[in-house]
């Protein structure tokens, strides 16, 4: 089978190559899936140079999430049959024609989604769901400001917030991305992610500020977000794409009456397994009902993996990039 193999941790993914490997065999409790699409996520890129907290033993195949068909079933597995369309996630291994994963890692593919959409929505929409529903407890009619709104997780948050009845302000860095956001999801407002965005947010919300702010950027964006959040608001910390981890004097959330809430969707599910299963079931149901619509910016053949990686690194993507093994 074709697989993207990381044999050395190096900058510019120099240790990666497309190779032929034996098709893996499933063991007890495992299922082999013929991968039809694998999403490209930033952790995949970071792992190729050893810059992510998870550091698999070399060599390894990257790829966190995928969609495909059950191809073979190991012992002591119930509930799946060969040919079943599935989606799944694993810490790595998806960027290959076949992947073997624990049976518990698989779910039925929502019928409304294409292979590409099904591969690309799980991680992003799960993060958005934990952020908006579990951490922020967003209510219909509340104002939700989404930073990095054109990225994979940001775009999922825009889409989910609208599905939950919130009023969305989407912030993006370029005119092209803002135009795409307007066309794809028609949020209540699309604004530039430039310094001074707080004035636009205050004007849109009648001076009140945003009830919920989704921030995967950090740095100056976080600092300014504390100045346009409503009393009783929830400022969600997703990550630090800007490179700077900000600080906040605790007198500010005290005086302004807002909460700063860290969001770790995967860890949430590990800490609270029952609620984690409910979260996954909820996003799958929303997808099956057509209430959320994942957007795939581009799909590349696995042989063109470097082009897909580069597109993500240039931050030229609106939504997600997938590879077709």
């Amino acid at each position: 089978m074709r697989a993207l193999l990381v044999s050395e941790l190096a900058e510019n993914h120099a240790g990666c190559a497309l190779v032929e490997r034996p098709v893996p065999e499933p063991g007890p409790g495992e299922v082999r899936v013929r991968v039809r699409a694998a999403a490209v996520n930033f952790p995949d890129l970071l792992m190729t140079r050893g810059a992510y907290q998870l550091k698999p033993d070399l060599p390894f195949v990257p790829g966190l999430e995928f969609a495909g068909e059950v191809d073979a079933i190991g012992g002591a597995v119930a509930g799946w049959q060969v040919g079943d369309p599935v989606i799944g996630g694993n810490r790595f291994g998806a960027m290959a024609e076949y992947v073997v994963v624990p049976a518990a890692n698989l779910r039925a593919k929502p019928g409304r989604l294409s292979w590409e959409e099904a591969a690309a929505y799980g991680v992003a929409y799960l993060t958005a769901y934990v952020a908006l529903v579990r951490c922020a407890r967003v209510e219909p009619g509340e104002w939700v400001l989404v930073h990095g709104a054109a990225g994979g997780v940001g775009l999922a948050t825009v889409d989910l917030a609208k599905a939950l009845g919130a009023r969305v302000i989407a912030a993006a860095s370029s005119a092209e991305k803002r135009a795409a956001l307007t066309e794809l999801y028609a949020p209540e407002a699309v604004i530039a992610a430039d310094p001074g965005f707080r004035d636009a947010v205050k004007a849109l919300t009648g001076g009140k500020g945003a009830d919920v702010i989704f921030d995967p950027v950090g740095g100056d964006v976080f600092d300014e977000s504390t100045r346009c959040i409503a009393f009783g608001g929830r400022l969600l910390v997703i990550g630090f794409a800007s490179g700077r981890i900000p600080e906040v004097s605790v007198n500010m959330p005290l005086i302004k009456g807002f909460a700063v809430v860290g969001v770790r969707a995967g860890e949430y599910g590990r800490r609270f397994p029952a609620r984690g299963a409910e979260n996954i079931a909820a996003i799958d149901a929303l997808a099956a009902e057509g209430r959320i619509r994942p957007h795939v910016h581009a799909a590349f053949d696995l042989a063109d993996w470097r082009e897909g990686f580069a597109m993500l690194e240039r931050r030229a993507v609106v939504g997600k990039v997938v590879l077709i093994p």
Side-chain angles (χ1 to χ4, degrees), residues 199-231:
D199 294 331
V201 173
K202 285 290 192 72
L204 287 162
T205 60
K208 171 188 170 185
D211 299 291
V212 176
I213 299 180
F214 181 94
D215 179 20
V217 180
D220 294 345
V221 165
F222 177 92
D223 295 342
E224 190 166 343
S225 292
T226 65
R227 303 187 181 280
C228 62
I229 189 165
F231 192 91

PDB file of all heavy atoms in Angstrom, residues 199-231:
ATOM      1  N   ASP A 199     -13.571  47.967  18.348  1.00  0.00           N
ATOM      2  CA  ASP A 199     -14.538  49.020  18.034  1.00  0.00           C
ATOM      3  C   ASP A 199     -15.668  48.470  17.167  1.00  0.00           C
ATOM      4  O   ASP A 199     -16.842  48.803  17.364  1.00  0.00           O
ATOM      5  CB  ASP A 199     -13.840  50.184  17.319  1.00  0.00           C
ATOM      6  CG  ASP A 199     -12.834  50.897  18.220  1.00  0.00           C
ATOM      7  OD1 ASP A 199     -13.051  50.901  19.446  1.00  0.00           O
ATOM      8  OD2 ASP A 199     -11.838  51.426  17.691  1.00  0.00           O
ATOM      9  N   ALA A 200     -15.318  47.616  16.194  1.00  0.00           N
ATOM     10  CA  ALA A 200     -16.339  47.004  15.341  1.00  0.00           C
ATOM     11  C   ALA A 200     -17.250  46.096  16.155  1.00  0.00           C
ATOM     12  O   ALA A 200     -18.475  46.093  15.970  1.00  0.00           O
ATOM     13  CB  ALA A 200     -15.673  46.209  14.213  1.00  0.00           C
ATOM     14  N   VAL A 201     -16.669  45.336  17.084  1.00  0.00           N
ATOM     15  CA  VAL A 201     -17.467  44.424  17.910  1.00  0.00           C
ATOM     16  C   VAL A 201     -18.412  45.216  18.808  1.00  0.00           C
ATOM     17  O   VAL A 201     -19.605  44.880  18.936  1.00  0.00           O
ATOM     18  CB  VAL A 201     -16.554  43.514  18.750  1.00  0.00           C
ATOM     19  CG1 VAL A 201     -17.374  42.678  19.735  1.00  0.00           C
ATOM     20  CG2 VAL A 201     -15.730  42.602  17.839  1.00  0.00           C
ATOM     21  N   LYS A 202     -17.921  46.274  19.405  1.00  0.00           N
ATOM     22  CA  LYS A 202     -18.768  47.095  20.277  1.00  0.00           C
ATOM     23  C   LYS A 202     -19.909  47.722  19.473  1.00  0.00           C
ATOM     24  O   LYS A 202     -21.062  47.763  19.925  1.00  0.00           O
ATOM     25  CB  LYS A 202     -17.924  48.187  20.934  1.00  0.00           C
ATOM     26  CG  LYS A 202     -17.028  47.686  22.056  1.00  0.00           C
ATOM     27  CD  LYS A 202     -17.860  47.279  23.259  1.00  0.00           C
ATOM     28  CE  LYS A 202     -17.012  47.054  24.499  1.00  0.00           C
ATOM     29  NZ  LYS A 202     -16.493  48.291  25.072  1.00  0.00           N
ATOM     30  N   ALA A 203     -19.602  48.198  18.267  1.00  0.00           N
ATOM     31  CA  ALA A 203     -20.644  48.811  17.439  1.00  0.00           C
ATOM     32  C   ALA A 203     -21.703  47.795  17.048  1.00  0.00           C
ATOM     33  O   ALA A 203     -22.912  48.081  17.085  1.00  0.00           O
ATOM     34  CB  ALA A 203     -20.018  49.439  16.193  1.00  0.00           C
ATOM     35  N   LEU A 204     -21.292  46.598  16.678  1.00  0.00           N
ATOM     36  CA  LEU A 204     -22.238  45.564  16.247  1.00  0.00           C
ATOM     37  C   LEU A 204     -23.136  45.104  17.392  1.00  0.00           C
ATOM     38  O   LEU A 204     -24.286  44.720  17.171  1.00  0.00           O
ATOM     39  CB  LEU A 204     -21.476  44.362  15.680  1.00  0.00           C
ATOM     40  CG  LEU A 204     -20.839  44.557  14.302  1.00  0.00           C
ATOM     41  CD1 LEU A 204     -19.768  43.508  14.048  1.00  0.00           C
ATOM     42  CD2 LEU A 204     -21.911  44.505  13.217  1.00  0.00           C
ATOM     43  N   THR A 205     -22.620  45.116  18.602  1.00  0.00           N
ATOM     44  CA  THR A 205     -23.370  44.598  19.759  1.00  0.00           C
ATOM     45  C   THR A 205     -24.023  45.707  20.572  1.00  0.00           C
ATOM     46  O   THR A 205     -24.428  45.470  21.723  1.00  0.00           O
ATOM     47  CB  THR A 205     -22.435  43.772  20.657  1.00  0.00           C
ATOM     48  OG1 THR A 205     -21.360  44.616  21.114  1.00  0.00           O
ATOM     49  CG2 THR A 205     -21.860  42.582  19.909  1.00  0.00           C
ATOM     50  N   GLY A 206     -24.126  46.884  20.012  1.00  0.00           N
ATOM     51  CA  GLY A 206     -24.764  47.990  20.715  1.00  0.00           C
ATOM     52  C   GLY A 206     -23.996  48.443  21.940  1.00  0.00           C
ATOM     53  O   GLY A 206     -24.599  48.896  22.927  1.00  0.00           O
ATOM     54  N   GLY A 207     -22.667  48.307  21.899  1.00  0.00           N
ATOM     55  CA  GLY A 207     -21.828  48.722  23.000  1.00  0.00           C
ATOM     56  C   GLY A 207     -21.640  47.682  24.079  1.00  0.00           C
ATOM     57  O   GLY A 207     -20.810  47.840  24.984  1.00  0.00           O
ATOM     58  N   LYS A 208     -22.381  46.587  24.000  1.00  0.00           N
ATOM     59  CA  LYS A 208     -22.345  45.559  25.051  1.00  0.00           C
ATOM     60  C   LYS A 208     -21.081  44.710  25.001  1.00  0.00           C
ATOM     61  O   LYS A 208     -20.515  44.341  26.026  1.00  0.00           O
ATOM     62  CB  LYS A 208     -23.589  44.668  24.895  1.00  0.00           C
ATOM     63  CG  LYS A 208     -23.605  43.438  25.771  1.00  0.00           C
ATOM     64  CD  LYS A 208     -24.775  42.530  25.380  1.00  0.00           C
ATOM     65  CE  LYS A 208     -24.706  41.183  26.065  1.00  0.00           C
ATOM     66  NZ  LYS A 208     -25.766  40.263  25.602  1.00  0.00           N
ATOM     67  N   GLY A 209     -20.630  44.364  23.808  1.00  0.00           N
ATOM     68  CA  GLY A 209     -19.535  43.427  23.628  1.00  0.00           C
ATOM     69  C   GLY A 209     -20.037  42.030  23.335  1.00  0.00           C
ATOM     70  O   GLY A 209     -21.232  41.735  23.443  1.00  0.00           O
ATOM     71  N   ALA A 210     -19.122  41.155  22.963  1.00  0.00           N
ATOM     72  CA  ALA A 210     -19.482  39.778  22.613  1.00  0.00           C
ATOM     73  C   ALA A 210     -19.686  38.944  23.864  1.00  0.00           C
ATOM     74  O   ALA A 210     -18.908  39.032  24.823  1.00  0.00           O
ATOM     75  CB  ALA A 210     -18.398  39.157  21.741  1.00  0.00           C
ATOM     76  N   ASP A 211     -20.728  38.126  23.862  1.00  0.00           N
ATOM     77  CA  ASP A 211     -20.999  37.246  25.002  1.00  0.00           C
ATOM     78  C   ASP A 211     -19.978  36.118  25.086  1.00  0.00           C
ATOM     79  O   ASP A 211     -19.585  35.697  26.175  1.00  0.00           O
ATOM     80  CB  ASP A 211     -22.402  36.643  24.877  1.00  0.00           C
ATOM     81  CG  ASP A 211     -23.478  37.714  24.869  1.00  0.00           C
ATOM     82  OD1 ASP A 211     -23.688  38.352  25.911  1.00  0.00           O
ATOM     83  OD2 ASP A 211     -24.087  37.912  23.791  1.00  0.00           O
ATOM     84  N   VAL A 212     -19.564  35.625  23.925  1.00  0.00           N
ATOM     85  CA  VAL A 212     -18.590  34.538  23.854  1.00  0.00           C
ATOM     86  C   VAL A 212     -17.537  34.920  22.827  1.00  0.00           C
ATOM     87  O   VAL A 212     -17.873  35.380  21.729  1.00  0.00           O
ATOM     88  CB  VAL A 212     -19.259  33.203  23.449  1.00  0.00           C
ATOM     89  CG1 VAL A 212     -18.220  32.099  23.273  1.00  0.00           C
ATOM     90  CG2 VAL A 212     -20.310  32.793  24.472  1.00  0.00           C
ATOM     91  N   ILE A 213     -16.265  34.746  23.182  1.00  0.00           N
ATOM     92  CA  ILE A 213     -15.171  34.991  22.241  1.00  0.00           C
ATOM     93  C   ILE A 213     -14.346  33.715  22.131  1.00  0.00           C
ATOM     94  O   ILE A 213     -13.858  33.183  23.133  1.00  0.00           O
ATOM     95  CB  ILE A 213     -14.290  36.173  22.684  1.00  0.00           C
ATOM     96  CG1 ILE A 213     -15.125  37.456  22.742  1.00  0.00           C
ATOM     97  CG2 ILE A 213     -13.116  36.346  21.724  1.00  0.00           C
ATOM     98  CD1 ILE A 213     -14.343  38.694  23.177  1.00  0.00           C
ATOM     99  N   PHE A 214     -14.193  33.232  20.909  1.00  0.00           N
ATOM    100  CA  PHE A 214     -13.458  32.010  20.599  1.00  0.00           C
ATOM    101  C   PHE A 214     -12.094  32.429  20.067  1.00  0.00           C
ATOM    102  O   PHE A 214     -12.004  33.030  18.990  1.00  0.00           O
ATOM    103  CB  PHE A 214     -14.255  31.208  19.550  1.00  0.00           C
ATOM    104  CG  PHE A 214     -13.654  29.902  19.137  1.00  0.00           C
ATOM    105  CD1 PHE A 214     -14.023  28.721  19.761  1.00  0.00           C
ATOM    106  CD2 PHE A 214     -12.734  29.838  18.104  1.00  0.00           C
ATOM    107  CE1 PHE A 214     -13.488  27.507  19.361  1.00  0.00           C
ATOM    108  CE2 PHE A 214     -12.194  28.630  17.692  1.00  0.00           C
ATOM    109  CZ  PHE A 214     -12.570  27.460  18.328  1.00  0.00           C
ATOM    110  N   ASP A 215     -11.021  32.124  20.810  1.00  0.00           N
ATOM    111  CA  ASP A 215      -9.706  32.657  20.463  1.00  0.00           C
ATOM    112  C   ASP A 215      -8.653  31.560  20.312  1.00  0.00           C
ATOM    113  O   ASP A 215      -8.084  31.098  21.304  1.00  0.00           O
ATOM    114  CB  ASP A 215      -9.247  33.661  21.523  1.00  0.00           C
ATOM    115  CG  ASP A 215      -7.861  34.222  21.210  1.00  0.00           C
ATOM    116  OD1 ASP A 215      -7.430  34.140  20.044  1.00  0.00           O
ATOM    117  OD2 ASP A 215      -7.207  34.728  22.139  1.00  0.00           O
ATOM    118  N   PRO A 216      -8.346  31.168  19.061  1.00  0.00           N
ATOM    119  CA  PRO A 216      -7.239  30.251  18.830  1.00  0.00           C
ATOM    120  C   PRO A 216      -5.933  30.974  18.509  1.00  0.00           C
ATOM    121  O   PRO A 216      -4.941  30.341  18.145  1.00  0.00           O
ATOM    122  CB  PRO A 216      -7.728  29.464  17.600  1.00  0.00           C
ATOM    123  CG  PRO A 216      -8.528  30.463  16.833  1.00  0.00           C
ATOM    124  CD  PRO A 216      -9.139  31.409  17.847  1.00  0.00           C
ATOM    125  N   VAL A 217      -5.927  32.300  18.632  1.00  0.00           N
ATOM    126  CA  VAL A 217      -4.801  33.121  18.172  1.00  0.00           C
ATOM    127  C   VAL A 217      -3.888  33.540  19.318  1.00  0.00           C
ATOM    128  O   VAL A 217      -2.668  33.455  19.241  1.00  0.00           O
ATOM    129  CB  VAL A 217      -5.309  34.367  17.408  1.00  0.00           C
ATOM    130  CG1 VAL A 217      -4.125  35.208  16.926  1.00  0.00           C
ATOM    131  CG2 VAL A 217      -6.192  33.956  16.231  1.00  0.00           C
ATOM    132  N   GLY A 218      -4.476  34.035  20.409  1.00  0.00           N
ATOM    133  CA  GLY A 218      -3.681  34.500  21.535  1.00  0.00           C
ATOM    134  C   GLY A 218      -3.003  35.831  21.237  1.00  0.00           C
ATOM    135  O   GLY A 218      -3.409  36.575  20.352  1.00  0.00           O
ATOM    136  N   GLY A 219      -1.948  36.133  21.991  1.00  0.00           N
ATOM    137  CA  GLY A 219      -1.178  37.344  21.752  1.00  0.00           C
ATOM    138  C   GLY A 219      -2.017  38.606  21.830  1.00  0.00           C
ATOM    139  O   GLY A 219      -2.861  38.771  22.715  1.00  0.00           O
ATOM    140  N   ASP A 220      -1.783  39.502  20.870  1.00  0.00           N
ATOM    141  CA  ASP A 220      -2.485  40.784  20.859  1.00  0.00           C
ATOM    142  C   ASP A 220      -3.992  40.612  20.687  1.00  0.00           C
ATOM    143  O   ASP A 220      -4.776  41.434  21.177  1.00  0.00           O
ATOM    144  CB  ASP A 220      -1.941  41.664  19.730  1.00  0.00           C
ATOM    145  CG  ASP A 220      -0.489  42.073  19.956  1.00  0.00           C
ATOM    146  OD1 ASP A 220      -0.002  41.914  21.091  1.00  0.00           O
ATOM    147  OD2 ASP A 220       0.156  42.531  18.996  1.00  0.00           O
ATOM    148  N   VAL A 221      -4.400  39.552  19.982  1.00  0.00           N
ATOM    149  CA  VAL A 221      -5.827  39.313  19.770  1.00  0.00           C
ATOM    150  C   VAL A 221      -6.520  39.031  21.105  1.00  0.00           C
ATOM    151  O   VAL A 221      -7.614  39.553  21.375  1.00  0.00           O
ATOM    152  CB  VAL A 221      -6.037  38.150  18.775  1.00  0.00           C
ATOM    153  CG1 VAL A 221      -7.467  37.643  18.816  1.00  0.00           C
ATOM    154  CG2 VAL A 221      -5.682  38.603  17.356  1.00  0.00           C
ATOM    155  N   PHE A 222      -5.898  38.234  21.939  1.00  0.00           N
ATOM    156  CA  PHE A 222      -6.461  37.980  23.269  1.00  0.00           C
ATOM    157  C   PHE A 222      -6.536  39.277  24.068  1.00  0.00           C
ATOM    158  O   PHE A 222      -7.552  39.576  24.701  1.00  0.00           O
ATOM    159  CB  PHE A 222      -5.615  36.949  24.011  1.00  0.00           C
ATOM    160  CG  PHE A 222      -6.081  36.681  25.414  1.00  0.00           C
ATOM    161  CD1 PHE A 222      -6.972  35.657  25.683  1.00  0.00           C
ATOM    162  CD2 PHE A 222      -5.634  37.466  26.473  1.00  0.00           C
ATOM    163  CE1 PHE A 222      -7.415  35.407  26.975  1.00  0.00           C
ATOM    164  CE2 PHE A 222      -6.071  37.226  27.775  1.00  0.00           C
ATOM    165  CZ  PHE A 222      -6.962  36.198  28.022  1.00  0.00           C
ATOM    166  N   ASP A 223      -5.453  40.042  24.060  1.00  0.00           N
ATOM    167  CA  ASP A 223      -5.419  41.283  24.827  1.00  0.00           C
ATOM    168  C   ASP A 223      -6.576  42.199  24.445  1.00  0.00           C
ATOM    169  O   ASP A 223      -7.273  42.741  25.307  1.00  0.00           O
ATOM    170  CB  ASP A 223      -4.093  42.008  24.595  1.00  0.00           C
ATOM    171  CG  ASP A 223      -2.885  41.239  25.132  1.00  0.00           C
ATOM    172  OD1 ASP A 223      -3.089  40.330  25.964  1.00  0.00           O
ATOM    173  OD2 ASP A 223      -1.759  41.552  24.710  1.00  0.00           O
ATOM    174  N   GLU A 224      -6.780  42.363  23.151  1.00  0.00           N
ATOM    175  CA  GLU A 224      -7.849  43.257  22.703  1.00  0.00           C
ATOM    176  C   GLU A 224      -9.230  42.649  22.938  1.00  0.00           C
ATOM    177  O   GLU A 224     -10.202  43.372  23.170  1.00  0.00           O
ATOM    178  CB  GLU A 224      -7.666  43.621  21.233  1.00  0.00           C
ATOM    179  CG  GLU A 224      -8.593  44.722  20.773  1.00  0.00           C
ATOM    180  CD  GLU A 224      -8.218  45.320  19.430  1.00  0.00           C
ATOM    181  OE1 GLU A 224      -7.079  45.131  18.970  1.00  0.00           O
ATOM    182  OE2 GLU A 224      -9.095  45.983  18.835  1.00  0.00           O
ATOM    183  N   SER A 225      -9.308  41.318  22.925  1.00  0.00           N
ATOM    184  CA  SER A 225     -10.595  40.659  23.174  1.00  0.00           C
ATOM    185  C   SER A 225     -11.108  40.948  24.575  1.00  0.00           C
ATOM    186  O   SER A 225     -12.329  41.034  24.799  1.00  0.00           O
ATOM    187  CB  SER A 225     -10.465  39.150  22.970  1.00  0.00           C
ATOM    188  OG  SER A 225     -10.243  38.828  21.612  1.00  0.00           O
ATOM    189  N   THR A 226     -10.207  41.108  25.530  1.00  0.00           N
ATOM    190  CA  THR A 226     -10.649  41.412  26.889  1.00  0.00           C
ATOM    191  C   THR A 226     -11.315  42.783  26.966  1.00  0.00           C
ATOM    192  O   THR A 226     -11.966  43.089  27.971  1.00  0.00           O
ATOM    193  CB  THR A 226      -9.469  41.377  27.882  1.00  0.00           C
ATOM    194  OG1 THR A 226      -8.540  42.422  27.578  1.00  0.00           O
ATOM    195  CG2 THR A 226      -8.768  40.030  27.853  1.00  0.00           C
ATOM    196  N   ARG A 227     -11.177  43.582  25.924  1.00  0.00           N
ATOM    197  CA  ARG A 227     -11.743  44.939  25.915  1.00  0.00           C
ATOM    198  C   ARG A 227     -13.029  45.038  25.095  1.00  0.00           C
ATOM    199  O   ARG A 227     -13.581  46.119  24.933  1.00  0.00           O
ATOM    200  CB  ARG A 227     -10.694  45.933  25.414  1.00  0.00           C
ATOM    201  CG  ARG A 227      -9.433  45.876  26.262  1.00  0.00           C
ATOM    202  CD  ARG A 227      -8.430  46.955  25.916  1.00  0.00           C
ATOM    203  NE  ARG A 227      -7.240  46.819  26.754  1.00  0.00           N
ATOM    204  CZ  ARG A 227      -7.134  47.252  28.016  1.00  0.00           C
ATOM    205  NH1 ARG A 227      -8.168  47.844  28.589  1.00  0.00           N
ATOM    206  NH2 ARG A 227      -6.012  47.091  28.694  1.00  0.00           N
ATOM    207  N   CYS A 228     -13.482  43.890  24.565  1.00  0.00           N
ATOM    208  CA  CYS A 228     -14.759  43.921  23.838  1.00  0.00           C
ATOM    209  C   CYS A 228     -15.616  42.713  24.197  1.00  0.00           C
ATOM    210  O   CYS A 228     -16.373  42.213  23.378  1.00  0.00           O
ATOM    211  CB  CYS A 228     -14.547  44.020  22.331  1.00  0.00           C
ATOM    212  SG  CYS A 228     -13.664  42.645  21.584  1.00  0.00           S
ATOM    213  N   ILE A 229     -15.456  42.231  25.428  1.00  0.00           N
ATOM    214  CA  ILE A 229     -16.275  41.117  25.889  1.00  0.00           C
ATOM    215  C   ILE A 229     -17.345  41.653  26.833  1.00  0.00           C
ATOM    216  O   ILE A 229     -17.103  42.594  27.600  1.00  0.00           O
ATOM    217  CB  ILE A 229     -15.411  40.033  26.575  1.00  0.00           C
ATOM    218  CG1 ILE A 229     -16.241  38.774  26.844  1.00  0.00           C
ATOM    219  CG2 ILE A 229     -14.741  40.556  27.842  1.00  0.00           C
ATOM    220  CD1 ILE A 229     -15.409  37.561  27.183  1.00  0.00           C
ATOM    221  N   ALA A 230     -18.509  41.073  26.761  1.00  0.00           N
ATOM    222  CA  ALA A 230     -19.640  41.535  27.569  1.00  0.00           C
ATOM    223  C   ALA A 230     -19.473  41.127  29.032  1.00  0.00           C
ATOM    224  O   ALA A 230     -18.749  40.175  29.354  1.00  0.00           O
ATOM    225  CB  ALA A 230     -20.942  40.949  27.020  1.00  0.00           C
ATOM    226  N   PHE A 231     -20.166  41.842  29.899  1.00  0.00           N
ATOM    227  CA  PHE A 231     -20.233  41.429  31.304  1.00  0.00           C
ATOM    228  C   PHE A 231     -20.898  40.050  31.362  1.00  0.00           C
ATOM    229  O   PHE A 231     -21.933  39.816  30.743  1.00  0.00           O
ATOM    230  CB  PHE A 231     -21.043  42.433  32.130  1.00  0.00           C
ATOM    231  CG  PHE A 231     -20.902  42.225  33.603  1.00  0.00           C
ATOM    232  CD1 PHE A 231     -19.921  42.877  34.327  1.00  0.00           C
ATOM    233  CD2 PHE A 231     -21.754  41.359  34.278  1.00  0.00           C
ATOM    234  CE1 PHE A 231     -19.772  42.676  35.685  1.00  0.00           C
ATOM    235  CE2 PHE A 231     -21.627  41.141  35.638  1.00  0.00           C
ATOM    236  CZ  PHE A 231     -20.624  41.805  36.351  1.00  0.00           C
TER     237      PHE A 231
END
